[in-house]
Amino acid sequence: MLTLVRRRTLAQWRLLEGIVALVTLGTALLGVGALLMGPTQDRSFTAGVEETTPQQTAVTAFIGGVKASDAVAVRDAARAVIADALRPLDPTFTSSATSRMRRLGDGQRLGYLVSTTSLPERAALTSGRWADGAGETVVPEAAASRLHLAVGDRISVGREIGTRPVENSVSLVVVGIFRAASRTGWERDPLAGSGYDAAYTDGSLPRLSPTYGPFVVDDATFLATGSTIDALQVTGNPTLTRATNQSMNAAVGALRSADGLLSAQVVDQVDISRVASDLPETLSQVHAQQAATRSTLLVVLLLGTVMALTALLLAGRLLGDVRASERALLADLGLGRDQLVVSTLAEVLFIAGAATVLAVPVAALVHSAVTHLPALAAAGLSQRPAVTPGLVLVEVASAILLALALVIPMVGTARLGSRAARAAQSGVDLLLGVVAIAAWWQLHSQPPTATTDDATLILAPVVCVVAVTVLAVRWAPVLLAAVAWAASRSTALVLPLATSQAARRPYGGAALALLAMATASATFGLALQTTWDRSQDDQAALRVGTDLSFALSTPATDREAAAIAAATRGLATSAVIDRPLALGQYVGSGEDDSAPVLVAADSRRAGTLLRGRLDQGRTWTTIGDLLAPGPAVVGLPLSTGGVTVKGSAPRGVPIEVTPTLLVQDASGFRRSVSADAVPLDGRSHVLAGTGHLEGAHLVAAQLTLSGRTTPGATSVTVDLSVRTPDAGAVRDWHVEKLGAPDTPVTGAAASVTSSAGATTVRTTVQLDLGFLAYADGDVLVTGFKRPAALPVAVSERLADVVGTKVGGTISATVEGVPVPLQIVAVIPTVPSAPGRVAVLADADTLSRILIGLGHLEPVVDAWWVADPAPKTARDLTRLDLGEVTTRTGVAAQLEQGPLRAMVPAALVLLVVAAGLLLLAGAALVVGADRPARSAEVARLRALGLTRRQVTRLVLVEHGILLGLVVVTGAAVGVVASVALGPSLVRSDVGVAPVPAAVLVWPWGRESAVVVGALVGCLLIATVITFVVVRRSGPEQLRAADS
Amino acid sequence: MVVARGLTRTYGSGPGTVHALQDVSFDVAPGEMVALVGRSGSGKTTLLNLIGGLDQPDSGTVRVDGTEVTGLDDEGLSQLRRDSVSYVFQTFGLVPALTAAENVGVPLRLRRTPAVEREKRVALLLELVGLRDHADQRPSELSGGQQQRVAIARSLAGSPRLLIADEPTGQLDAETGLGVMGLLRGLVESEGVTAVVSTHDPVMMALADRVLTISDGRLT
C-alpha cells in the first residue's frame, strides 16, 4: 500500500504540489494571524501604554489639611503606598504641597506658596531661573506683571487666612518668572495655572479676592515657613517601558486597596486623604482598543481560513476525481473503505507535514514584513523574523486542520439523487439566507458602546460574506445558461460552444464559491479599510474641530494675541471660546461627556475653519451664516494721545470715576485696560497707560462712579475723548446700568460728538447720592448694541436631552453670566465636541453679550487655524503659550497608533491573502481537468477546429466563467461593504465612532482589484489553455470521455 | 479517394524505437468501405491518423480526394477535416457539456451554417441514427450505443467524402455494436461516403467491401 501511495504521489506530484502550496498558504496565514495577535499585540500594548499622557497613568495621593510638621511623614507614607501598588512598574515620584492662602500686603490680595518637584515639566521659564535655594521663588508671569515683580525683586508673603493661621510672614526673592506650559497638570492649582484671578474664592473665603500665585519655592523653604498645607499631592508615574498586560493588571488590582491603606496610615495627621488614578480607565481603554483591533484580525483570519478550507475542499474533490477510477479499481480488488481512509490520512498527514515545514518560516517572514509596513514601523511594532514554539504549534495544528479538509472529498462520499440534492440545496440556501440576515441584524442592533471582545463583530461579517457568496454563485450557472441559450441561435462557433460549456461543466459549488469569496473578501477588505481610514479622519476632524487648534494654557493677553497673529499671518484664523455651559436645569446625565459645552468661533469663517461632517447637504458656511454677528464692531480709533476723561458733577459733590476701557486690536482681539480713578472736576485727565494703544479701537468702557456725599439726586457727565479725525463715523453708542437691580444709578444716556481732531463719548448718569455712599454705581457704554440672545447651532444630542428644536430658546449661563440662547440650527455634532451636549456660536456675538453684561475680561481659550503650513504648528509651539493639536496629527494617531495600526494592516493582509487564494483557486478550476481537456481539444481538432479556434474556445469558456464569478464576488463585496462596513468601524476606545462611519467605496482601487483579479485569472487560464492545446494530440483521441 | 504511398511512422528513438508503420501503401476507391484489421498495437490508429492528417508520417504521402494531406499546413489540415474527412472514435469523442443535437451541430457551426438549416440537418441526422427523441440529452444521459450513434451522426453532419472510424464498436457490447455497424454500412451507402474503419469485429469485416490487414506496421 505504501508503495502505491509513494508511486501515486510521484505520478501526481504536480497536483500534490499545488495542494501543499495551498495548505502552506492557509497555514502561513493563520500563523501570521497568530503572531499578530500574540507578540505584536503584546508589543502594541506596551507601545500604546507608552503613548499615553502621564496624567492617564499617574497615581496620585491627594491629602488635605496637613501640618507642616507632619508633611514629611505623610508624604513618605503616601509614597510607600503608591510604590507598593506600582511595584512591578518601578514608579518615579513627584510631589507638591500647596499652602493655605496668605495675605499679600495690607489689602485684600491673597497669594499662596507651592513646593513642587515637577514645575519644569509643567511650565516654561520666561525669565530668570528655577528656584533651588532657601528663600528663592519663581512666580507666574500673570502674577509678576500685576504685582510689578521682576527677577531680583523681593516680596513678602504674609500671614495665613482662616482658623488657627500661621502668623509669620515669608520674605522671598524672585529668581524666575514662568508660564504654565499647558492646561494639563494645573487642574489642582487653586488658580488652574493662570497665575491670577481678580475674584477668587474657594468657598471658605469671606469675599472675592484678587489672588496671585503660586509662589513656587523649594521644599526646604516651604517647610521652613511652617505653612499649613491645604493640598499635598504625591504622584507616582509608572515606568511604562516595563508595562505589560500582567503588570498593568496587577497595578490596577493593587490600586483598589491603596486608598484604604493610605487612610489607615495617615488618618491622625490629615483632614482628608484619597488615592486616585486614571490608570484603570486608561487600561480599560487600551484593552478596548486591543479588542477592537483583535476583532478585525479575527475577521481576516476567519475569512482566510474559510477560503483556505474551501480551496482545500475543492482540491480534495479534484484529486478525488482524478483518482476515481483508481479508487474503483482498488475497491474491486478488495480494498476496504477503512484502508482507503487510512491511506488517505497518511497522505494528508504527509501534506500537512510538508506544509508545516514550509509555512513556519513563511509565516515568520511574512509577519516580519507586515510589521515593517510603514504604519506599523512608525508605531514601533517592527519585529525581526522569529520562529517561536508557539508559532510552530499553531502551524502544526493549522496544517493538520486544513489538510484534514482534503480527506472527505478524496475518499468520496455517497451522492444524493438529483431530487434529494435539490431539496437539500434549497434547505441549505434557506438556512444560509436566514443566517446572513440574522448576522446582519445582530450587528446592526448591538449597542454602540460595546467595548469588549464582541463575537458579533467577528462572526457577523464572516457569516454574511460566506453565506451571501454561496447564495450568489448559485445563480452563476443559471446566468451562463441564459447567455448560452441566447448565443446558441447564432451561426458562430466559439461563443455558443464556450458559453454552453461554461454553463454546463460540473465545476462544483466549492470552486465557484472560492473564487467569488476571494474576490468578495478582497473588495470588502479594501472598502472596509478605506471606510475605516475615512472614519478616523472624520473623527479627527470632529475631535479637533478645525485644521489646527492652539489651546492656550492661560487666558490670552494682547501681546500673546499679537504673537499668534504674527505666527499665523495670511491664514484664516479665529479666536475660540471653549467653555463649560450651564443649560437651565440641565447639568449632565452623569456620564463623563454629558456636561454641556459651548464652542464659539468666527462664524464668518466657518466654511473655511470648521471641520466635521454635516447632513442634509448643509455646509459650515450655511451654518455660519445663521450665527453671523451682524456688522462688525468698529469703535473709536485710538491715537498716541491716549484717552482723555473729563467729568463734571455739581459743585460740592465729590464724585470720581474709575474707567475700565475695552479696546479691540486689528485682529478683533478685545481686552480691558484699567485706569486710575479720576475726579469729576470739570478738567480733562489723560488716562495713564492709554498712550500706547495707537491702532486699537475703543469699543466699550465701564465707568465706576463712587463718592461719599450727602443724600440727594444729581446728574453727572463723563466725557471719554479720543483724538481721532475720522472717529465720528460711529455715533451709535449705547449705555447700560450694570450690577444688581438696586444701584445708585437711576438713569443713563450716551451721545457722541465730534470736533476738529477729536471724538467724545459723553455719558450722562443720574445718581442717587445717598445710595452712592454705600455702593459704587457702574454704567457701561458700548460702541455696539448688545444682542438680546446668542444664536446657536446645537448638537443633536443636546436637542435630544433638552427636548428643543430650531426656533426654541434656552437659558444658559456662561462664566456666571446669564446668556439666552436662540436655537437657529440643529447639527449632528459640534466641532471639537464630538457626540457631546454642545452649542456652537459666534465668538464675536458671545463676546458682545458678555461685554454688554459687564464681563470685560478676555474669554479667548484657543485659536483655530485653517489650512496651516507645516511650519505654522512649529511656530505656534515655539511660542510656549499652549498646546498645538492638528487634525492630521490626530488622524495619524488614530490611524497609526500602536494599538490601531494593525487594523489597516490586517485588512491589507486580507486583500493579499484573498488575491493569492483567488489565483490558486483559478489555477485549480482551470487546470485540474487538464488531461481530460487535452483529449477534448484533440477531438475538436479532429472535427476540424483550427488551433486558433480551439484556443479561443477554451479561453473564452474560462474567461466567461472566471469573469462572471469574479464579478459576482465583487458584487457580494459591494453588498457586504454597504450592509456591514460602517458597523464594523470602531473608535479608538472601541465604541461606535462619532461621527458615525459612512461607507467609502474606493472606485479606483476597487476597480484595480477587480481588474487585477480578472487579469490574473485570465493569465492563468491563458497559460493553462496554451499548455492544454499544445499537449493535445492524436494520442489523446482514444482517451476516455471525461 | 485515398491514395497512400510508402507511409512510415516511427515513435521514440534509440533502443526504445517503435516502428508503428513501415512503408505502407494502399488505395481506397470512392464509395468503398474498407475494414482495417490487426492486433492491438499493429498500427491501425496510426494509419488512420495519417490518413486524416492528425499525424504526420516520417516519410511517404497520403492523398485524399486528390489533396496531398502530408503537404498541408495546420489551417489546410483543419479545412480538410472540416470539409472532406470526418472521424468516429472508439470513445465516441462527444463534448460532454453539449446535448446530442448540439454535438451533431458542431461541424455545421464550423461551416457557419445558418441556424434554421443547421437545426433541420441535425434533426435529419438524428432521425437517421434513430435518436430524434434524444436530441436534448447530454452524452452522460445516453447509453454507449446511443453515444456512438450521435458520434456517427456528427461525423456525417458536414457531408464528408471520407469517414474514418477507429474501432467504433470497441466499447460496445456485441448487440449494440452490431446495430452501430449496420448503421455505418447503411449510411455509407445512402450518403455515398468512403469509409475506412479499423476493427477487430468479424461482423464489421463482413460488412466491409474490402479488408486490409496490418501487422507490425505493415500491410499484409
Side-chain angles (χ1 to χ4, degrees), chain A residues 684-706:
Chain A
S684 293
H685 302 268
V686 177
L687 293 179
T690 61
H692 63 284
L693 296 175
E694 184 183 11
H697 288 65
L698 177 68
V699 295
Q702 180 177 340
L703 305 174
T704 302
L705 297 159
S706 58

Side-chain angles (χ1 to χ4, degrees), chain A residues 389-627:
Chain A
L391 173 63
V392 174
L393 202 62
V394 167
E395 297 295 58
V396 169
S398 307
I400 291 174
L401 169 77
L402 291 172
L404 282 176
L406 291 164
V407 174
I408 295 173
M410 279 172 70
V411 170
T413 53
R415 301 210 171 162
L416 296 172
S418 60
R419 181 175 294 180
R422 275 199 296 274
Q425 183 173 308
S426 301
V428 169
D429 287 356
L430 185 65
L431 186 64
L432 285 172
V434 169
V435 166
I437 292 169
W440 173 82
W441 180 257
Q442 184 68 23
L443 186 62
H444 272 257
S445 59
Q446 69 171 348
T449 52
T451 58
T452 54
D453 281 300
D454 189 342
T456 306
L457 273 179
I458 299 161
L459 293 178
V462 178
V463 167
C464 283
V465 168
V466 172
V468 175
T469 302
V470 171
L471 289 174
V473 296
R474 295 263 196 251
W475 292 95
V478 178
L479 194 61
L480 283 171
V483 175
W485 180 84
S488 67
R489 300 298 300 165
S490 80
T491 57
L493 172 77
V494 171
L495 189 64
L497 242 62
T499 50
S500 296
Q501 300 225 58
R504 297 172 192 169
R505 272 191 198 282
Y507 288 100
L512 302 183
L514 171 63
L515 297 176
M517 204 185 305
T519 312
S521 298
T523 50
F524 172 66
L526 198 54
L528 185 56
Q529 192 229 332
T530 314
T531 302
W532 189 89
D533 277 352
R534 170 65 71 83
S535 176
Q536 308 315 308
D537 287 344
D538 286 348
Q539 290 174 61
L542 204 52
R543 207 169 284 189
V544 181
T546 186
D547 293 333
L548 184 151
S549 169
F550 186 39
L552 303 172
S553 52
T554 57
T557 65
D558 58 324
R559 215 156 26 102
E560 292 161 357
I564 293 165
T568 58
R569 197 178 309 282
L571 299 171
T573 61
S574 169
V576 172
I577 301 160
D578 183 355
R579 301 270 166 125
L581 182 72
L583 281 177
Q585 301 296 315
Y586 179 79
V587 291
S589 62
E591 296 169 32
D592 288 346
D593 62 346
S594 67
V597 64
L598 165 76
V599 176
D602 185 349
S603 64
R604 290 163 299 192
R605 292 174 172 170
T608 314
L609 273 172
L610 302 185
R611 298 289 177 263
R613 226 174 37 231
L614 283 170
D615 52 6
Q616 302 164 4
R618 295 181 296 180
T619 65
W620 287 116
T621 302
T622 59
I623 299 295
D625 290 344
L626 296 172
L627 306 174

Side-chain angles (χ1 to χ4, degrees), chain A residues 947-968:
Chain A
R947 183 180 289 270
R948 181 177 295 177
Q949 280 176 315
V950 86
T951 303
R952 276 176 51 207
L953 174 66
V954 179
L955 207 52
V956 169
E957 179 194 331
H958 289 322
I960 286 174
L961 179 79
L962 295 174
L964 180 65
V965 175
V966 166
V967 170
T968 302

